[in-house]
Amino acid sequence: MIQGLIVNSPKFNVVPPGVNETVFFPYTRTQGRVASDIKRLDELLFTLDDEAQVFGKLDYPNKRPIFSMARLDRIKNLTGLAECFGKSRKLQERCNLILIAGNLRTEDSSDSEEKAEIVKLYQIIEEYNLYGKIRWLGVRLSKSDCGEVYRVIADRHGIFVQPALFEAFGLTILESMISGLPTFGTQFGGPLEIIQDKVNGILINPTNQEEMAQKIQDFVTKCEENPQYWEEISNQGIERVYSTYTWKIHTTRLLSLAGIYGFWNYTSKANQEDMLRYLEALFHLIYKPRAKKLLEEHMSQIT
């Protein structure tokens, strides 16, 4: 028992969500990838000139991409990632920042928090002169396009950064890892359980922008010195998801625990006692008064 909870009780079991491996799968798997979709999304991410969908034109599109995708709200902290990138001249020299996040204009949003983050992101781009180094996509992607976007970034040996101030679980982390993208995830919340630091991903403290920038920079340096290192982290991330976090594993565990709980619920002494108390209450409150009334009516008819 821990703090009043019987942790070994079948009542307490956690089944982590799984990633749909038919949509999200490694970039190296050519089967299932459509050439026209790859070309279209590569253009969208790196070169398309369309002010309705994209802000920013990259001076050097072939630099290694730092990629993130999330809602544009405070807790997801995409503005924190942009500021981290803006403060690091070394990262700007070697990488581009690609963000898929919400709306590009405040007038297109009805959410006050998103509006504030839109204004803040533009301010950061201006303050650190990130023109030519950042692309911000205000698009809504289909599920299949979402899966292919991760793979297009992986084709260019990019990285995925999830800089949330807190993340309950971290589904985008699973999606990026299974796609083959080396993944940097917040150490606050669910990613701490998913990522084994420096084995199949890297944990970051999003409240310490200098340290976060240094970790990304160290990774990029190591990849430049030893290209196999990117492949190593990529492969370990893929293996981590396939071994623990697929949709098939999720559903199998859920069904198994449902069976275990059903058996426990049927055999539990505590539940049997609860049921007996419930039946006794029904007897005294409903059936006994009715039986007494019927008996009285019967006796009155006889007399």
Side-chain angles (χ1 to χ4, degrees):
M1 183 175 291
I2 299 176
Q3 295 182 350
L5 297 178
I6 305 173
V7 294
N8 292 323
S9 168
K11 283 187 176 182
F12 299 99
N13 279 283
V14 177
V15 181
V19 63
N20 185 344
E21 60 267 40
T22 61
V23 176
F24 302 97
F25 54 86
Y27 75 104
T28 52
R29 188 198 299 174
T30 56
Q31 184 181 4
R33 299 191 69 182
V34 180
S36 58
D37 289 342
I38 296 172
K39 182 179 179 181
R40 172 175 57 85
L41 292 171
D42 186 90
E43 182 182 4
L44 174 65
L45 287 166
F46 298 103
T47 59
L48 180 67
D49 186 9
D50 182 357
E51 293 183 357
Q53 299 183 83
V54 184
F55 173 85
K57 182 178 180 180
L58 299 177
D59 292 338
Y60 303 98
N62 292 327
K63 285 183 179 180
R64 191 186 302 270
I66 298 171
F67 173 61
S68 193
M69 177 165 54
R71 299 188 313 274
L72 195 55
D73 56 29
R74 189 187 67 82
I75 201 71
K76 293 298 184 182
N77 195 38
L78 290 186
T79 52
L81 175 59
E83 189 169 21
C84 167
F85 182 73
K87 289 178 178 179
S88 175
R89 290 293 179 186
K90 291 183 178 179
L91 279 182
Q92 293 173 44
E93 289 169 3
R94 301 154 84 179
C95 303
N96 289 316
L97 180 60
I98 314 291
L99 302 176
I100 296 182
N103 294 294
L104 298 176
R105 290 166 286 275
T106 54
E107 58 266 30
D108 294 332
S109 175
S110 59
D111 184 86
S112 59
E113 185 174 335
E114 184 184 33
K115 288 181 179 181
E117 290 295 293
I118 291 171
V119 171
K120 185 177 179 180
L121 187 49
Y122 280 121
Q123 290 173 341
I124 289 168
I125 293 169
E126 179 69 30
E127 180 180 354
Y128 296 102
N129 191 25
L130 295 180
Y131 301 104
K133 304 167 186 175
I134 186 173
R135 270 173 76 81
W136 169 12
L137 283 66
V139 295
R140 298 287 189 274
L141 298 175
S142 67
K143 185 64 72 173
S144 60
D145 277 356
C146 185
E148 190 57 49
V149 159
Y150 288 112
R151 293 187 287 272
V152 168
I153 297 291
D155 287 334
R156 292 177 176 244
H157 279 202
I159 62 175
F160 179 81
V161 181
Q162 201 267 35
L165 299 176
F166 177 80
E167 185 66 48
F169 180 68
L171 198 55
T172 55
I173 285 179
L174 296 184
E175 294 169 354
S176 66
M177 288 173 72
I178 200 172
S179 302
L181 271 177
T183 299
F184 291 69
T186 179
Q187 68 185 41
F188 302 121
L192 189 62
E193 297 184 18
I194 299 171
I195 294 175
Q196 296 163 313
D197 194 28
K198 298 179 183 177
V199 175
N200 44 45
I202 296 171
L203 293 168
I204 54 174
N205 179 353
T207 65
N208 188 334
Q209 293 181 350
E210 183 178 344
E211 179 187 273
M212 181 164 64
Q214 189 62 52
K215 285 190 174 185
I216 298 173
Q217 183 183 313
D218 289 346
F219 177 83
V220 171
T221 299
K222 198 165 183 178
C223 290
E224 290 173 349
E225 294 173 349
N226 175 20
Q228 294 301 314
Y229 183 64
W230 187 95
E231 301 283 354
E232 178 185 329
I233 298 298
S234 171
N235 291 333
Q236 291 286 352
I238 293 169
E239 175 60 29
R240 174 65 170 165
V241 179
Y242 272 125
S243 66
T244 314
Y245 294 106
T246 66
W247 183 246
K248 182 178 180 180
I249 293 172
H250 168 78
T251 53
T252 301
R253 287 181 177 175
L254 198 62
L255 290 171
S256 175
L257 286 173
I260 291 171
Y261 180 77
F263 177 76
W264 175 87
N265 202 40
Y266 179 75
T267 60
S268 168
K269 182 179 178 181
N271 275 22
Q272 288 176 355
E273 291 175 351
D274 290 343
M275 184 174 290
L276 287 172
R277 283 196 294 270
Y278 176 68
L279 292 174
E280 192 172 338
L282 287 178
F283 173 74
H284 286 286
L285 294 174
I286 299 176
Y287 295 111
K288 189 175 180 179
R290 286 185 179 179
K292 183 179 180 181
K293 184 178 180 181
L294 289 172
L295 180 61
E296 290 174 349
E297 291 176 352
H298 179 68
M299 293 301 294
S300 64
Q301 290 175 1
I302 292 175
T303 58

